[in-house]
Structure formats: C-alpha cells, structure tokens
Amino acid sequence: MPAAAATLIEMPRPDATVIARRAEIVAALEAAAGAENVISQPAETLAYECDALAAYRCPPLAVVLPRTTEQVSAVLKACRRFAVPVVPRGSGTSLAGGALPTADSVVVGVSRLNRVLEIDLANRFIRVEAGITNLAVSEAVADDGFFYAPDPSSQLACAIAGNVAMNSGGAHCLKYGVTTNNLLGVRMVLMNGDIVELGGPHLDPAGYDLIGVVCGSEGQFGVVTEAVLRILPKPEGARPILMGFASNAIAGACVADIVKSGVLPVAMEFMDRPAVIACENFAHAGYPTDVAALLIVEVEGSPAEIDEQLARIREIAARHEPQIVRESRSAVQSDLIWKGRKAAFGAMGQLADYMCMDGVIPTSRLPGVLARVDEMSAEYGLKVANVFHAGDGNLHPLILYDANKPGDQEKCEAFGADILRLCVEVGGCLTGEHGVGIEKRELMVHQYSPADLEYQMRVKDVFDPDWLLNPAKVFPIAASHARRTRNHPPQAAP
Amino acid sequence: MKVHAPAGETELADLVRHLAATGTPVEVAGGRTRLGLGHPVEAMARITTAAMTGITLYEPAALTIVVRAGTPLAEVEAALAAEGQHLPFEPADHRALLGSRGTPTIGGAYATGVSGPRRVQAGACRDCAIGVRLVSGAGDVVANGGRVMKNVTGYDLVKLICGSFGTLGVVTEIAFKVLPRPEMSATLTLAGLDEARAVAALSRALASPYGVSGAAHLAGGGDGPLTLLRIEGFAASVDYRAARLRELLAAFGEATVDTDQVAVAAGWRRLRDVEVFAGRPGAVWRLSVKPTDAPLLVGELRRRLADTQALYDWGGGLVWLLVAEEGDCGAAAIRGLLARFGGHATLVRAGQATRRSVAVFEPQAPGIAALADGLRRRFDPSGILNPGRMAAVA
C-alpha cells in the first residue's frame, strides 16, 4: 500500500479561513444532520481520505452521513453558508479520484441512505435510495425474474449514487447500455439546499433532458439521494464461448466480423497475451496460454437461440483460423470461462502495483493501438496487460509498476497519459466508464477545445453557481480556477 | 423572412454571432417537417441546416455513424440498410400527423428527440446519440461526446441538446450508435381487450425474456381494439418467441401472428407516425406516464372530455390522445389528472392560435424551470434561437 500522499496531481490549496472555522462548521453540520451523523474526529475522518485511487489521499474537515434527503438539504445549506466545498461520496470505489476530499471540504456520504423504496414489476422500475449498492438493486428483484443491467466490476460495493455520478458501465453494456440508459429519475439536492425531482417512472423527460446531463456529472451538480431505475426481465439463459487467436489483429478482425454479421452478443471481452497469462496463473480458469489474444463472447436466449448464435459466431471465427475454440456446455464451464476474466484486477494486484486505464477507441483501431502500447511499454520499461470490452471499444490497459520504487509512479502516470492521448488521437476518448475525476482532469484539453470545456462549465454554473460541489474534478485546474475562487470569501455565519 | 442556409460550421458561427449582436430572433429549421411542434416562434430570420448534409463517417463494424444535421433521414436509413443496420430508436415521420411538407432530417429528429415504438427495447433517440457538434446562441462552435459508444469524458451535453428544439444551439453534426437490422419481424395481435386489460397484457409481455420490441394498443377503429406486440430477430428465434408469447398471454385471448414482412413493417410504421390521427380534426396530445396509470387516466379523462381517442405505445407508457380542438383542448383536465398520476403531457398538434394560448410543454416546478432557464441563457445569452418555442407559458 502506498504510504505517503502523492503530489503528482495538484489539488487546490485549502482555504485557511474555512479550516480556522472548523469547530463552528462542525457545530452547524451537527445541527443540520444530528451529531450522530457527523464524523469530525481526525482518527475517524481518515477512513474517508481517499477512494480507490488510493495513491491520492487527504482527510476532509468533516464527514456527514445523513439518513434523509432533508438532512442532506440542511447540510448543504450549512456548507454553503460557510462557503465550504462539499465532496459527495457513494461507496468510495472511484478509480479516478472522483471522491477525493480536500482539507477544507465536507464529505457528504450517502451510505446510510440505502433502502429500496418501491418495486413496481408491472411498470418495470425500482425506486431506491442512492446509497444502495449496485448489486443489491439486482438482488432486490432477482426472485421476480428481473435485473438491473449496468454491472460495473465493483458492483458488490459501489453505490448507485456513484454509478449516477460516473455514468458507470459494465461488461454487458453492449446490449443493455450504461447507467444513463437505465436511469429514469433522480431526487437530488442542489448546493442551495433545494430538493428537485427529475424524471420518474415514465420513459422520457419533460422539457430539457436534465437527468441526461446530471448522469455523469461526477457529483458536481448536486447530491443524488434517490433514483428510479429501469429493471429488465432476465434472459432465459446465457452462455459464453472462448476463442484464441494468433495475433491481436486477427482477434480484432473477428470481433468486427461478428458485429457486422448481425449477432448482438451481450458481452465481448478481449484479453491480450500478458493478461491471459496473468489471469490463468491467478485463477486457473483453463485459458490457453499459448495464444496471442483471447476472446470471450457471451450470447443470451433460449438454449436453441444460444446454439444458433454460437454456431454463427463459430462459423465467423473459423475464417480467422482460431487456435482454440471452447464453447461452454454447462453453468460450471461458463463460470470457469468468466472466472479468469473477472480475476484480471486481482491477478495484476498479485504481480505488482498497477494502474487501470479506461480509454475508448474505435474498435477498428484495436490492432494498431495495441502495437503502439507495446512500443510505449518498452520505452517506459513498464509492463502492461490489456483487457478490452471489444464490442464497445473500451480499453483497460493495466500498467504494472512498483510504488516503492522512487519515480515509478510518475513514470506509470506518464505512460497512462500517453495511452489516453493515443486513444483520443485515433478518434476515441479518455474515459469510457471510470470518469475523469482528478486522474484525467488535465488531459481534457486533448479531447476538448476551450469552447467545448467552457460550455460544460456553464452547465455547472447553473447547478452550482459557487462551484462548491466536488472541487477540482473533471476540468483542468487552471481552466476552472477563476470559477472556483470567484465567490469564495467566506460569508459571515448568521 | 430572410432564410440563411450556411454551408458549414464556420459560416454558421459567423452568422449566429451577427444575429446575436443585432438581437435578431431566428427560427432554426432542418427539413421543416416538425416546425409545428412547440409554441410558434416569432422570428425575423430562419437558419436552415439544409446545406449541411452528408454522412461524415460510417463504420458498420463499430456500430457507429456520424451525420451532418441537414442530411435527410431517408438517406441515413438507406446507408444503414445497405449494411444490414438501422437507427435503433425508429424516429417518427411527423408529416402525416402534422400535415407538414418537407424532408425529415436527422438533425430535426435529434433536436425534437423523437423515438418510436422500439424505445421500450433499444432506447430513445437520446440513448442512441453519442456525439454532437453545435453552434451556440453566442456563435461558439461546441463539440461534446464523440464517435465511440462508451464515453464518460466530461459532462454529457449530447443528451441535454437532444430534444431541446434548437433553443440551446444549432446542431450541425450528430454521432449515433446503430444496431443490426433484425433478420425478421413478427406482430402478435390480441383482439377485443379493454384498455386496462390491454396494458396488463403488454406489461406481461414486456416482463418476459422474449425481447419484445414494440408494445402498443389501438383503442378504437374499424376492427375494434387491437393489442400489438412486435418480436424481432433471427427467423427461428422469432418463431420460438412468438409461440412462447402466445402461451404466456393465453389468458388474454388467442393471439394471431403475422410474419408478412411488408405488412409488419407497415403496421409499425403507421403506429410510429400516429397515422390513426392523421387528417382527422382535433388536437393531438402526447402523454408520458407510468404504463399502468395510462388506462385509468384516459378513463377519467373521457368523463371530462367525451370523444377522446387514445393510442397507446411503449407498453402504455406513451399515450397519444385525439381531443376536440376547442377551448384549451383539454389542457386543464389532462394536467389536472397528471398532477395526481405523475408524468407529463405535450400538445403535439393544434392550430397556431391554440399553441399560443395553451402551454405546449408541461409546466415545470419552479426549481426545474429555473435550471432550464439558466441553461438557455448560458447557451443563448441573447435569446435569439427559437425564442419561446419551449416557453413554460404561452
């Protein structure tokens, strides 16, 4: 575990006047949410000093864990009165530093808002408090034959609030979409304490699509306390097929042919040789370690429908001379095929420290991009393994480094940034499902022009005019500086 | 009225800057088939995207297409069809319903956010849109999203602009996620169900794993009430799913299955375009509600407005109403009921005078209206783009 707080990514200097009024602020928070819901002892706030981008950490001024939307509202009003930045937090699983506090901020965590409020099977939605975990939503409707489609790999821990903030995806989004495609409504608290309801159980917005822009706003527009989510009927069945190829290019061509054929798999996962070997050594999933690239393709339907789709996929694969084709014949075999892929992060963690990148590329550019990543790996002297949601172009290079070796983390971050710039150059983007957070904030200028960023910031101006919510995320720190500091002379408390 | 047809973004940006500087209100148009939607705009000039046409990128293997806003929808659909693909959200053609002439464009479909019956399965226009370029009301060229289907880089303005009726910017280019066109389609029909039973049948079908891609109910008509379900996919799969759905819905009657591809396509096209109300006198409303509320709401409405005709799509979640065009066209009655049931209503078709006096879009809670107004002012500071088209009150 990295020991000291790293300083590679700059955070704004905390406002000394806010820190000086800590006692007053804590008292106001206790009045707003009840003392039992406020954490202010330094030993306890330490638990909230970072998210899953654990190289960056900073204990907040205080943490509030409200039990009601009304408490959230009172807390935000109090914070606004003192001009205290607020960092909304779901479960703290962001890989991008999306929930990283600053020393002058108050973390507002929704973990105690975790109830299921309404299940309506006839109308195919569920209404939940936003602190509920992603998996708990699916579990709440599983016995009735439904599920909640977005399934980020952290789904056991991650909260719906964080999913909404980051517009989280998952392995099955090729068919079912990501959070924004499955989110019908939110109840959220704006920084001025106003409680607003956007959308609801119906399928489209009245007026501007505000939910559409709230989803993915990285906690910078408000604190989402409730969500209305679409639930979908579970498929009759699903079965994967595993195929190994002689090169990344051949595997890439096979993916393209599958997509063009009209088969729509629910998932198409690609692993390059280093990823295959690491996963196999870790999970013993029976992966062939002599292939250059491995594809796992999963299809859904009745047994006959699955057979037909897999037959079509095998036929296409045969044109690309696969070195191995293994179709799952049972639930046990299916689990085994997925076991390796799902173990990818754990497998890497055993080998070394690693950073997981999240770029997206047009699928057609996969072979060229992987070749270039290979070259960069040699240039930086850092190993990299690639797992890739091949259907939607979401590339997850895992860069291995040694956190205890001076300079290695810097090198790793530079390598990661090079990969993301490459993704943008070939027509893709910086992040497919993890979000920008602090991690990719400074890279935004490679994807967006100043005007592009300006209009995004104008949207934030509307929702959070004082720029108090989740400071120093998403936008390059210089680009947001004027807005973040414009209104910050602390106002007198009443 | 002066009509401007800029050939590209730079020319358009110069033009908008000039119009903003002179405070000239301008109507934004694509193919002019959906201008009847929203409040009438009092403009001194018109910008048309008609000269900004063409498919700029199409990668069938990546399931993505990028199109200039003025491109006719038919051209986009033909290019996709040539590769065995289609726009999943099935955009409606409003010409028959609104009695408009012109050529529907991709930009118009996106700006008005129209989504057809497949919305229940494949998502709405906003779900399929993955990138946008526009010129704001200040004359700035703004891009958001991109050409890849998974993208959380920065805020998602692609959704915000979709359905904003040209009030936040003039859209110049849109990228869409596309899908394989199904090999085969079939329609299952149940006859004679009342509206509550019909929605119950649609709900049951939509809760099944059989991939229903259309779920509608025609309340009246020559053949009596008809409840319709669409299944799409590989031929064997469609046969199998149709058979399973017939079993599942046996309690609702004996469903017939139509697999005549021409007839199936034409039937869903008519539904998509609400042809049943085309050419008939009266005002047309579009309600977005919780599906099981729809028949209750329509039932109560009939007690207040006799002769109300209803067409249900999206499993009951979308209700098209034909009412007499007199007074407020039922606005007070409809919105009174919605206040109880939830959801929202849009007046889709009515004369200009009515659309001036009746709130076309659902009036919003003050907090939401303030957010919408703030966005409009930041994207169009001079208030020149389609002024009043989405106004809260006439």
Side-chain angles (χ1 to χ4, degrees):
Chain A
M1 180 178 276
T7 52
L8 298 176
I9 299 174
E10 186 196 347
M11 289 299 280
R13 213 168 28 163
D15 184 337
T17 55
V18 166
I19 293 175
R21 300 178 76 185
R22 187 171 172 280
E24 258 181 283
I25 293 166
V26 168
L29 295 174
E30 289 179 347
E36 70 281 11
N37 296 322
V38 178
I39 298 169
S40 58
Q41 294 305 317
E44 293 174 57
T45 56
L46 216 54
Y48 296 86
E49 66 175 356
C50 70
D51 53 27
L53 187 68
Y56 292 87
R57 46 187 69 201
C58 172
L61 197 72
V63 178
V64 190
L65 304 176
R67 293 173 193 274
T68 66
T69 300
E70 288 68 29
Q71 287 178 352
V72 172
S73 168
V75 165
L76 294 197
K77 275 184 198 158
C79 289
R80 183 164 178 248
R81 206 162 65 227
F82 288 96
V84 184
V86 169
V87 177
R89 182 180 172 104
S91 297
T93 58
S94 172
L95 290 162
L100 177 71
T102 51
D104 59 355
S105 70
V106 168
V107 167
V108 176
V110 292
S111 56
R112 289 178 180 165
L113 286 161
N114 59 4
R115 293 175 302 164
V116 171
L117 300 173
E118 184 183 2
I119 293 174
D120 186 335
L121 300 177
N123 293 305
R124 301 168 298 284
F125 74 85
I126 182 170
R127 198 158 57 86
V128 296
E129 290 183 326
I132 194 171
T133 63
N134 173 289
L135 192 61
V137 174
S138 273
E139 283 174 352
V141 294
D143 289 345
D144 296 303
F146 285 84
F147 72 111
Y148 174 61
D151 58 343
S153 53
S154 57
Q155 69 177 161
L156 187 63
C158 66
I160 291 298
N163 292 180
V164 171
M166 294 312 205
N167 189 13
S168 304
H172 292 83
C173 58
L174 179 59
K175 180 166 178 187
Y176 296 114
V178 295
T179 302
T180 190
N181 312 114
N182 293 279
L183 176 70
L184 297 173
V186 295
R187 186 168 197 224
M188 69 188 283
V189 186
L190 304 180
M191 195 60 217
N192 64 8
D194 281 0
I195 298 169
V196 296
E197 313 257 356
L198 303 175
H202 46 275
L203 281 176
D204 63 1
Y208 292 155
D209 191 348
L210 298 180
I211 302 175
V213 75
V214 163
C215 188
S217 60
E218 305 208 5
Q220 295 197 310
F221 289 2
V223 176
V224 172
T225 59
E226 290 178 20
V228 180
L229 307 168
R230 276 191 105 183
I231 49 173
L232 302 175
K234 280 195 259 187
E236 286 180 86
R239 205 139 48 84
I241 186 169
L242 176 151
M243 301 177 288
F245 297 91
S247 74
N248 290 334
I250 294 173
C254 183
V255 168
D257 284 353
I258 291 170
V259 172
K260 278 194 284 192
S261 77
V263 180
L264 186 66
V266 274
M268 266 204 283
E269 295 291 308
F270 173 109
M271 302 163 79
D272 70 359
R273 189 183 166 92
V276 171
I277 291 171
C279 291
E280 179 55 23
N281 288 342
F282 182 73
H284 310 293
Y287 288 174
T289 50
D290 54 346
V291 299
L294 196 68
L295 276 185
I296 301 170
V297 182
E298 181 161 279
V299 297
E300 286 181 347
S302 68
E305 289 175 311
I306 289 172
D307 284 343
E308 181 180 3
Q309 294 175 79
L310 289 182
R312 289 186 188 223
I313 289 168
R314 294 180 79 119
E315 195 186 306
I316 293 161
R319 286 185 250 144
H320 298 279
E321 294 171 3
Q323 293 168 293
I324 181 170
V325 175
R326 192 190 304 151
E327 190 177 314
S328 164
R329 296 284 174 200
S330 67
V332 174
Q333 288 180 11
S334 297
D335 286 348
L336 197 60
I337 287 178
W338 277 114
K339 188 179 163 200
R341 167 62 185 87
K342 287 179 177 168
F345 292 3
M348 295 303 153
Q350 275 221 328
L351 294 180
D353 300 297
Y354 70 89
M355 269 182 59
C356 173
M357 311 311 293
D358 176 44
V360 185
I361 55 174
T363 47
S364 56
R365 306 298 294 267
L366 180 66
V369 167
L370 290 188
R372 182 69 195 113
V373 169
D374 246 8
E375 289 168 19
M376 288 193 240
S377 165
E379 289 161 22
Y380 278 99
L382 293 175
K383 285 190 178 146
V384 62
N386 291 288
V387 295
F388 181 56
H389 302 306
D392 52 38
N394 196 180
L395 182 65
H396 292 306
L398 302 162
I399 308 173
L400 307 185
Y401 72 105
D402 181 353
N404 292 318
K405 192 168 154 191
D408 232 31
Q409 189 190 335
E410 287 86 339
K411 225 162 58 170
C412 179
E413 288 188 6
F415 182 8
D418 277 353
I419 293 177
L420 296 184
R421 276 190 287 265
L422 174 65
C423 291
V424 173
E425 269 166 38
V426 300
C429 67
L430 297 172
T431 173
E433 56 188 1
H434 295 175
V436 177
I438 59 160
E439 187 202 16
K440 293 170 282 275
R441 189 184 70 194
E442 302 304 324
L443 295 172
M444 289 287 274
V445 295
H446 296 287
Q447 183 165 341
Y448 287 125
S449 76
D452 299 342
L453 292 175
E454 165 65 22
Y455 277 79
Q456 292 183 35
M457 290 192 285
R458 286 188 187 187
V459 179
K460 178 158 168 77
D461 290 340
V462 173
F463 282 87
D464 177 23
D466 297 333
W467 279 63
L468 287 172
L469 277 160
N470 216 8
K473 317 286 158 52
V474 183
F475 301 104
I477 198 141
S480 67
H481 177 80
R483 286 174 153 97
R484 278 185 292 106
T485 52
R486 148 180 89 190
N487 285 319
H488 278 221
Q491 298 152 22
Chain B
M1 190 190 298
K2 181 143 195 214
V3 179
H4 304 273
E9 257 169 17
T10 313
E11 189 185 336
L12 172 61
D14 288 345
L15 169 67
V16 173
R17 267 195 300 275
H18 171 72
L19 295 170
T22 53
T24 311
V26 61
E27 178 179 76
V28 183
R32 309 200 64 217
T33 66
R34 305 180 212 267
L35 290 178
L37 300 173
H39 290 287
V41 171
E42 312 295 340
M44 293 162 67
R46 177 186 302 142
I47 294 175
T48 169
T49 57
M52 292 188 282
T53 59
I55 293 165
T56 43
L57 181 143
Y58 177 28
E59 278 192 14
L63 298 174
T64 47
I65 191 164
V66 185
V67 191
R68 290 202 185 92
T71 313
L73 254 178
E75 192 179 320
V76 179
E77 282 165 344
L80 292 170
E83 295 288 341
Q85 298 184 338
H86 68 178
L87 291 172
F89 61 98
E90 215 176 0
D93 182 337
H94 274 91
R95 283 178 292 189
L97 183 64
L98 299 182
S100 57
R101 282 196 289 272
T103 308
T105 61
I106 192 78
Y110 170 78
T112 54
V114 291
S115 309
R118 206 179 284 105
R119 170 27 178 146
V120 289
Q121 189 207 33
C125 178
R126 54 91 86 182
D127 294 299
C128 301
I130 55 176
V132 67
R133 296 184 64 87
L134 60 98
V135 172
S136 76
D140 295 317
V141 176
V142 180
N144 191 260
R147 54 170 278 207
V148 286
M149 66 172 82
K150 215 165 161 194
N151 188 346
V152 296
T153 318
Y155 301 155
D156 191 347
L157 306 186
V158 182
K159 310 276 185 292
L160 177 67
I161 305 300
C162 183
S164 64
F165 286 83
T167 60
L168 297 177
V170 183
V171 174
T172 59
E173 189 176 89
I174 315 129
F176 290 100
K177 169 188 175 178
V178 301
L179 281 179
R181 173 183 285 268
E183 191 176 279
M184 192 180 159
S185 307
T187 302
L188 247 81
T189 305
L190 287 159
L193 299 180
D194 69 32
E195 287 156 299
R197 291 275 292 160
V199 169
L202 298 177
S203 284
R204 188 171 300 179
L206 286 165
S208 79
Y210 305 126
V212 170
S213 72
H217 178 72
L218 274 158
D223 305 323
L226 295 175
T227 309
L228 308 164
L229 292 160
R230 180 171 59 185
I231 321 151
E232 300 174 309
F234 296 127
S237 181
V238 169
D239 287 346
Y240 163 77
R241 290 172 179 213
R244 295 307 301 264
L245 278 169
R246 288 189 77 226
E247 282 169 34
L248 184 74
L249 300 173
F252 296 93
E254 179 110 351
T256 57
V257 180
D258 187 356
T259 55
D260 176 340
Q261 295 306 287
V262 175
V264 170
W268 288 97
R269 197 182 313 116
R270 280 197 299 275
L271 261 162
R272 180 196 76 182
D273 297 343
V274 201
E275 265 189 35
V276 63
F277 296 158
R280 291 172 62 183
V284 175
W285 287 89
R286 177 188 184 282
L287 275 56
S288 190
V289 294
K290 197 160 77 178
T292 52
D293 285 345
L296 304 172
L297 191 152
V298 171
E300 293 212 26
L301 189 64
R302 286 212 184 93
R303 266 175 252 145
R304 293 167 173 80
L305 304 170
D307 300 331
T308 297
Q309 307 282 311
L311 168 67
Y312 299 79
D313 197 354
W314 298 358
L318 174 66
V319 186
W320 297 91
L321 297 175
L322 180 69
V323 301
E325 187 165 355
E326 47 191 40
D328 69 350
C329 298
I334 291 168
R335 294 199 161 123
L337 288 167
L338 285 169
R340 214 168 83 212
F341 284 101
H344 60 90
T346 311
L347 179 59
V348 170
R349 188 185 75 191
Q352 287 231 356
T354 308
R355 285 186 291 117
R356 282 201 178 87
S357 61
V358 173
V360 168
F361 295 95
E362 188 72 24
Q364 297 186 303
I368 311 281
L371 292 173
D373 189 53
L375 289 168
R376 194 187 49 70
R377 282 188 285 112
R378 278 164 182 85
F379 277 72
D380 177 19
S382 309
I384 57 164
L385 299 177
N386 278 345
R389 191 154 184 206
M390 288 188 86
V393 278

